Amino acid sequence: MSKILFVMTGAEHWTLADGTAHPTGFWAEEAVVPYRAAKAAGHEVVVATPGGVVPPVDRASLAPEFNGGQEGAEQVARALEEMTELRTPMKLEEVDLDEFAAVFYPGGHGPMEDLAVDAESGRLLVAALDSGKPLAVVCHGPAALLAAVRPDGTNAFAGYRAAAFTNEEETQGGLAGQAKWLLQDRLTEAGLDVRAGEPWAPHIVVDRNLITGQNPASSAAVAEELLKRLG
């Protein structure tokens, strides 16, 4: 079967407007759901991060209230234990895109800290987009698209329709007023056409080979579309 590259944050915190380091990482559901779907379909998953650091999970994403109760939280925690690939990630700069059939970026606030400004990730995203391979990104993962700049200074994703964590969701989550910048605003400024769905409800947007999901609840639909593209 195919190899899928999971590009994940290495950031343990998100720097707020007042300089506070807000604990973060990747959002568990957004990695676990697509991972399990990919493995169930027989695909191989390889994880890559900036510098090859072990991706930190956002501890908040393991709480029962974000997983439908205690049983759901325990299931997610067990699933993370099964993801042995998380313990031995590649360095982004060592990734050979030719080895992979698809690329996936989960979210969490971590990408707002590192992938949004990571030039190596940006180059990988431009190459993935231009290759025509399925490229799937969910929730705050689209922050990474901000670093996908072509030599002429334009964003490679300008003109693409996309979904991403919205200003309304950031506001309802209680962090919009503390943020240096908001993802929906920055993506729009970069030239993307952000299509917002209902807060917290599954919502995906597909434009050419770009598959994007708005929030954690969109993870399953993003994974389903990605796997459909792989046949």
Side-chain angles (χ1 to χ4, degrees):
M1 299 297 281
S2 301
K3 286 174 69 174
I4 302 174
L5 179 68
F6 275 44
V7 179
M8 302 180 66
T9 183
E12 296 181 339
H13 73 272
W14 176 34
T15 306
L16 301 178
D18 65 357
T20 302
H22 178 73
T24 189
F26 69 88
W27 197 259
E29 179 182 356
E30 296 166 20
V32 164
V33 171
Y35 175 85
R36 283 189 154 178
K39 297 293 276 190
H43 299 298
E44 179 182 350
V45 171
V46 175
V47 174
T49 64
V53 302
V54 174
V57 64
D58 188 323
R59 306 306 299 181
S61 69
L62 303 178
E65 58 263 36
F66 294 119
N67 293 287
Q70 184 61 37
E71 183 178 350
E74 292 172 358
Q75 289 178 356
V76 167
R78 285 195 298 271
L80 286 176
E81 288 297 318
E82 296 169 6
M83 294 178 67
T84 55
E85 296 88 348
L86 292 175
R87 301 168 203 163
T88 55
M90 295 182 65
K91 295 179 180 179
L92 270 178
E93 59 268 26
E94 296 177 354
V95 169
D96 180 356
L97 186 62
D98 290 340
E99 296 180 5
F100 298 94
V103 179
F104 172 66
Y105 278 68
H109 281 108
M112 300 275 282
E113 184 74 18
D114 61 355
L115 297 178
V117 294
D118 190 288
E120 199 62 50
S121 172
R123 283 190 287 272
L124 177 66
L125 282 165
V126 173
L129 184 69
D130 291 348
S131 74
K133 295 178 181 182
L135 170 60
V137 195
V138 68
C139 199
H140 287 92
L145 306 185
L146 297 171
V149 179
R150 296 193 186 278
D152 65 0
T154 62
N155 190 285
F157 294 90
Y160 276 74
R161 298 183 306 277
F165 201 71
T166 63
N167 291 356
E168 186 173 0
E169 286 166 319
E170 204 74 82
T171 298
Q172 292 180 11
L175 287 171
Q178 303 174 57
K180 289 182 179 179
W181 50 272
L182 297 177
L183 181 56
Q184 183 179 352
D185 290 344
R186 280 287 178 90
L187 291 172
T188 300
E189 291 167 6
L192 283 82
D193 179 8
V194 180
R195 303 291 180 91
E198 290 297 315
W200 314 111
H203 175 63
I204 74 167
V205 174
V206 179
D207 189 348
R208 288 157 277 187
N209 60 318
L210 177 65
I211 306 160
T212 49
Q214 180 170 310
N215 46 35
S218 307
S219 302
V222 167
E224 181 181 358
E225 181 65 27
L226 176 65
L227 295 177
K228 186 169 71 175
R229 296 294 184 97
L230 290 177

